[in-house]
């Protein structure tokens, strides 16, 4: 079941702010649209997600290496990649509300409404026919559903043709014919549709020296393509091999809504896998499967992921799909897996005049490798983690709590050290334990308020384990280890703490499951 829960998103946004995960950017000046700052807990969670990705890609694969390319790149990079000419969104303004929309999204939202009508017919019929219900047959034969399906197909064909041929008048005509109104004001008074490039530009050097327009990179991938030869030669890499990178990307998104789902400054974790031409489909299938396994290993719920295969392929791709996650807004793209052919390397060869090829000793010839790309938005995965982790619960003793059940290996702090009382030598024992384990785990120390309140605070930031020091600790050197998710406690000797926590929170456990 898709989430479609605006309330959940609002709660996550409020919780993320209250507990130091995500703040609106420059909030004291009323914030900046679609830009966010990660707070003390958010930064830790983000770093742990990066670590999970980097280790599983770079450390676990001897044929994948990681780089860190500059955000600024030679402007010709973006001409070659097609971003200067084709990285556009078709925009339309409503003359009455003065609001701006993506024309294709307005049409897609209309299509979603027709799809909802189909789903309604299907569930009504499923109820009516019970066990005998054959969904496929019903969809293929029911008059009303067939009509709706035809309507969707016609709209899709017209939209695709308008976008592919660049005939934006056709897109406006479609919006007018469908009677699409401004979702805010209900007005149908639209401007023409215009193309709007999503890249941010700035100037390199002073104006007097002759300003040179450069762009903030809209994807990290191009930093990998332009370094293909550097890495292949210096790393003596043989096909197939991959180059991975984590870094910021910038897009002047028009519809920047839904918290950190769609931002103007965000982070990507991308890997370009260079393969022999002809072998790309086999690697595409490999990465599709492997990336899904990587996601599922986090334990956010297998039912919360699905593939969305692209039917309309970009001009450079011969296969593409998204891994979608069940966000509070429903299933949406989390990661893209694209078979990009030799498009990018060939384009850079053409524009740079440099050969970007691999010499295959077995075949005794050089060729431009094909590329399979995996590209995930770090901020989107962060939101996915919060979505699955956020729970409001009533405990066995009747008390209520808001808890973030973040996978232990990703949690901002792994363990909190809590002396039961602020006296009798318990704080001193607590600090002694903290000093032993802080080299291995991100820890918190808290001795203020009742133990119940302190557990609640740790639950709210997702700390998976709490160590409580009580009078028995002073007698037999044991502490209680409380599990965030079950609220159950085990008594454990201080000497065994490190190994036990390691076993429970280490990233290694996750990495071993992926294989
Ligand atoms: N190199 C391929 C590429 O950039 P993409 O589908 O445009 O492909 C890849 O982006 C991923 O980056 C998406 O699946 C998404 O997770 C993330 N992403 C894209 N635009 C974003 C935005 N405005 N805010 C946050 N994440 C974004």
């Amino acid at each position: 079941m898709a989430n479609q829960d605006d309330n959940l998103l609002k709660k996550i946004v409020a919780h993320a702010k209250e507990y130091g995960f995500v703040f609106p950017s420059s909030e004291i000046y009323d914030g900046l649209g679609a830009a966010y700052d990660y707070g003390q807990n958010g930064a830790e969670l983000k770093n742990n997600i990066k670590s999970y990705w980097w280790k599983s890609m770079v450390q676990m694969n001897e044929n994948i290496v990681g780089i860190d390319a500059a955000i600024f790149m030679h402007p010709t990079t973006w001409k070659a990649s097609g971003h200067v000419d084709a990285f556009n969104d078709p925009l339309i303004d409503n003359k009455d509300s003065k609001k701006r929309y993506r024309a294709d999204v307005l049409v897609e939202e209309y299509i979603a409404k027709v799809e909802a009508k189909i789903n309604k017919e299907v569930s009504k019929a499923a109820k009516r026919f019970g066990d005998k219900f054959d969904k496929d047959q019903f969809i293929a034969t029911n008059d009303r559903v067939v009509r709706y399906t035809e309507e969707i197909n016609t709209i899709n064909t017209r939209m695709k043709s308008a976008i592919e041929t660049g005939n934006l008048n056709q897109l406006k005509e479609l919006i007018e014919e469908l009677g699409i109104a401004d979702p805010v004001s209900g007005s149908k008074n639209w401007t023409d549709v215009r193309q709007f490039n999503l890249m941010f530009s700035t100037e390199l050097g002073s104006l007097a020296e002759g300003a040179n327009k450069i762009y903030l990179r809209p994807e990290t991938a191009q930093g990998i393509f332009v370094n293909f030869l550097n890495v292949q030669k210096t790393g003596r890499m043989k096909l197939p091999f991959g180059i991975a990178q984590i870094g910021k990307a910038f897009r002047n998104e028009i519809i920047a809504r839904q918290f950190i789902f769609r931002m103007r400054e965000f982070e990507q974790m991308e890997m370009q896998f260079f393969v022999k031409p002809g072998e790309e489909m086999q690697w595409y299938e490999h990465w599709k499967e492997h990336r899904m396994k990587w996601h599922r290993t986090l334990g956010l719920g297998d039912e919360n992921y699905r593939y969305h295969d692209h039917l309309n392929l970009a001009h450079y791709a011969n296969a593409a799909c998204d891994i979608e996650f069940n966000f509070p807004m429903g299933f949406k793209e989390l990661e893209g897996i694209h078979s990009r052919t030799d498009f990018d390397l060939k384009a850079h060869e053409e524009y740079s005049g440099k050969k970007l090829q691999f010499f295959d000793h077995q075949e005794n010839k050089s060729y431009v490798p094909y590329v399979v790309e995996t590209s995930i938005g770090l901020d989107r995965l962060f939101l996915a983690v919060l979505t699955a982790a956020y729970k409001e619960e009533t405990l066995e003793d009747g008390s209520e709590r808001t808890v973030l059940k973040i996978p232990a290996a990703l949690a901002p702090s792994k363990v909190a050290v809590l002396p039961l009382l602020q006296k009798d030598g318990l704080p001193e024992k607590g600090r002694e334990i903290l000093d032993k384990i802080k080299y291995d785990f991100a820890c918190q120390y808290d001795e203020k308020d009742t133990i119940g309140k302190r557990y609640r605070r740790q639950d709210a930031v997702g700390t998976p384990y709490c160590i409580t020091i009580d009078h028995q600790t002073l007698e037999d050197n044991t502490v209680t280890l409380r599990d965030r998710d079950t609220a159950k406690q085990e008594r454990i000797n201080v000497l065994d703490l490190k190994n036990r926590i390691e076993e429970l929170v280490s990233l290694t456990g996750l990495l071993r499951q992926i294989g």
Side-chain angles (χ1 to χ4, degrees):
M1 263 283 281
N3 267 320
Q4 284 295 357
D5 185 349
D6 282 352
N7 218 13
L8 175 60
L9 185 61
K10 280 194 194 127
K11 284 179 181 175
I12 290 172
V13 174
H15 191 89
K17 184 170 172 215
E18 188 178 348
Y19 288 95
F21 283 85
V22 184
F23 306 126
S25 161
S26 35
E27 196 189 6
I28 58 167
Y29 296 105
D30 293 335
L32 180 72
Y36 290 90
D37 298 339
Y38 286 84
Q40 64 280 19
N41 287 315
E44 295 285 350
L45 172 55
K46 221 177 164 198
N47 282 340
N48 294 340
I49 295 175
K50 285 191 210 178
S51 217
Y52 176 47
W53 186 85
W54 189 268
K55 286 192 174 178
S56 71
M57 282 292 179
V58 179
Q59 192 171 319
M60 306 305 296
N61 291 292
E62 51 188 274
N63 62 346
I64 300 181
V65 291
I67 65 163
D68 185 13
I71 287 171
F72 291 142
M73 299 182 71
H74 192 284
T76 310
T77 309
W78 306 109
K79 192 78 192 147
S81 68
H83 284 82
V84 170
D85 297 319
F87 196 51
N88 299 320
D89 274 349
L91 297 188
I92 191 163
D93 291 274
N94 187 279
K95 291 185 196 162
D96 297 324
S97 72
K98 309 278 182 253
K99 292 238 176 261
R100 181 167 285 177
Y101 298 94
R102 260 177 63 178
D104 54 334
V105 171
L106 286 177
V107 177
E108 275 165 13
E109 282 169 357
Y110 180 93
I111 290 173
K113 283 187 192 147
V114 183
E115 278 168 349
K117 287 185 193 166
I118 295 179
N119 291 340
K120 207 168 155 193
E121 293 294 334
V122 171
S123 44
K124 268 197 320 202
K127 255 193 211 145
R128 206 165 55 236
F129 294 114
D131 288 347
K132 281 184 246 132
F133 182 58
D134 181 339
K135 186 175 166 192
D136 292 340
Q137 196 196 352
F138 178 79
I139 290 175
T141 53
N142 178 274
D143 282 351
R144 220 175 271 168
V145 173
V146 169
R147 252 199 336 272
Y148 289 145
T149 311
E150 278 170 6
E151 188 187 355
I152 291 174
N153 291 342
T154 311
I155 297 171
N156 263 329
T157 311
R158 286 182 62 185
M159 181 160 75
K160 193 172 166 223
S161 138
I163 289 174
E164 276 177 7
T165 58
N167 191 338
L168 300 178
N169 284 340
Q170 279 178 5
L171 201 51
K172 183 180 179 191
E173 277 164 27
L174 187 59
I175 287 173
E176 286 177 336
E177 272 176 47
L178 297 174
I180 295 176
D182 179 336
V184 176
S185 66
S187 155
K188 295 180 185 171
N189 194 4
W190 296 109
T191 62
D192 288 341
V193 180
R194 288 165 301 119
Q195 289 290 19
F196 179 89
N197 194 287
L198 293 178
M199 283 196 294
F200 284 104
S201 63
T202 185
E203 278 154 11
L204 189 72
S206 70
L207 278 173
E209 286 163 7
N212 206 348
K213 187 174 175 184
I214 58 166
Y215 299 97
L216 297 182
R217 66 181 178 199
E219 63 170 8
T220 56
Q222 298 304 324
I224 291 177
F225 288 126
V226 299
N227 278 299
F228 163 74
L229 262 197
N230 283 337
V231 175
Q232 194 266 316
K233 291 221 160 106
T234 55
R236 300 169 61 237
M237 310 300 289
K238 305 268 173 290
L239 292 188
F241 76 92
I243 305 179
Q245 178 171 214
I246 299 177
K248 291 263 179 162
F250 303 83
R251 295 182 191 179
N252 200 355
E253 298 280 2
I254 297 311
I255 313 186
R257 289 194 292 245
Q258 298 167 330
F259 193 35
I260 53 173
F261 181 82
R262 196 176 297 287
M263 300 199 287
R264 299 203 167 100
E265 174 182 344
F266 57 100
E267 229 164 325
Q268 288 185 318
M269 305 191 287
E270 297 201 296
M271 194 275 297
Q272 316 296 132
F273 201 68
F274 299 92
V275 304
K276 192 172 170 180
E279 293 183 357
E280 71 276 12
M281 289 319 288
Q282 149 200 344
W283 284 110
Y284 170 72
E285 291 303 330
H286 165 87
W287 283 111
K288 203 173 152 179
E289 204 180 298
H290 194 78
R291 293 303 303 148
M292 184 60 104
K293 191 169 176 196
W294 182 90
H295 284 288
R296 290 189 165 157
T297 303
L298 277 179
L300 306 184
D302 286 5
E303 69 286 1
N304 287 323
Y305 298 93
R306 70 180 188 195
Y307 289 115
H308 168 72
D309 290 312
H310 291 200
L311 298 176
N312 301 329
L313 293 173
H315 55 288
Y316 54 77
N318 60 4
C321 76
D322 299 332
I323 292 178
E324 295 186 336
F325 183 79
N326 191 8
F327 288 101
M329 312 78 78
F331 277 96
K332 301 246 178 240
E333 176 183 346
L334 171 62
E335 169 155 9
I337 295 138
H338 314 122
S339 175
R340 290 180 78 129
T341 68
D342 55 1
F343 174 85
D344 300 88
L345 286 181
K346 270 212 168 126
H348 287 304
E349 274 200 328
E350 190 187 318
Y351 277 83
S352 69
K354 309 273 177 352
K355 247 179 143 191
L356 299 178
Q357 304 197 354
F358 173 77
F359 183 74
D360 186 328
H361 285 279
Q362 267 169 354
E363 302 223 351
N364 201 26
K365 65 172 186 188
S366 295
Y367 49 77
V368 178
Y370 269 42
V371 171
V372 175
E373 153 185 87
T374 71
S375 173
I376 173 167
L378 173 55
D379 314 86
R380 285 196 190 174
L381 182 53
F382 187 104
L383 182 58
V385 170
L386 287 191
T387 303
Y390 183 91
K391 303 273 180 249
E392 291 168 358
E393 291 182 344
T394 308
L395 291 175
E396 269 175 17
D397 63 4
S399 60
E400 310 231 311
R401 68 167 181 174
T402 301
V403 54
L404 290 185
K405 295 187 171 177
I406 299 173
L410 302 186
S413 299
K414 305 295 182 239
V415 59
V417 178
L418 314 174
L420 190 61
L421 301 172
Q422 270 182 293
K423 57 181 186 180
D424 301 339
L426 301 186
E428 290 74 8
K429 185 67 183 170
R431 291 236 169 250
E432 186 191 310
I433 293 174
L434 178 71
D435 283 343
K436 284 210 180 88
I437 58 172
K438 71 181 180 191
Y439 299 96
D440 298 293
F441 312 107
C443 300
Q444 297 218 353
Y445 178 84
D446 191 0
E447 54 181 39
K448 301 256 158 52
D449 295 322
T450 62
I451 193 72
K453 273 196 185 157
R454 281 180 275 164
Y455 285 154
R456 284 307 84 76
R457 279 205 287 269
Q458 296 303 328
D459 287 344
V461 296
T463 308
Y465 294 95
C466 289
I467 295 171
T468 311
I469 292 98
D470 53 21
H471 290 97
Q472 192 181 330
T473 314
L474 304 180
E475 287 162 23
D476 63 5
N477 207 30
T478 62
V479 291
T480 60
L481 191 65
R482 173 189 179 268
D483 181 308
R484 172 197 67 197
D485 297 348
T486 61
K488 296 247 156 48
Q489 311 204 6
E490 63 176 292
R491 193 115 209 146
I492 176 169
N493 195 296
V494 171
L495 300 176
D496 300 328
L497 261 182
K498 180 178 170 263
N499 286 349
R500 180 77 182 121
I501 300 172
E502 178 74 38
E503 190 178 284
L504 294 165
V505 306
S506 83
L507 207 49
T508 314
L510 290 187
L511 295 173
R512 278 193 206 288
Q513 284 177 55
I514 305 168

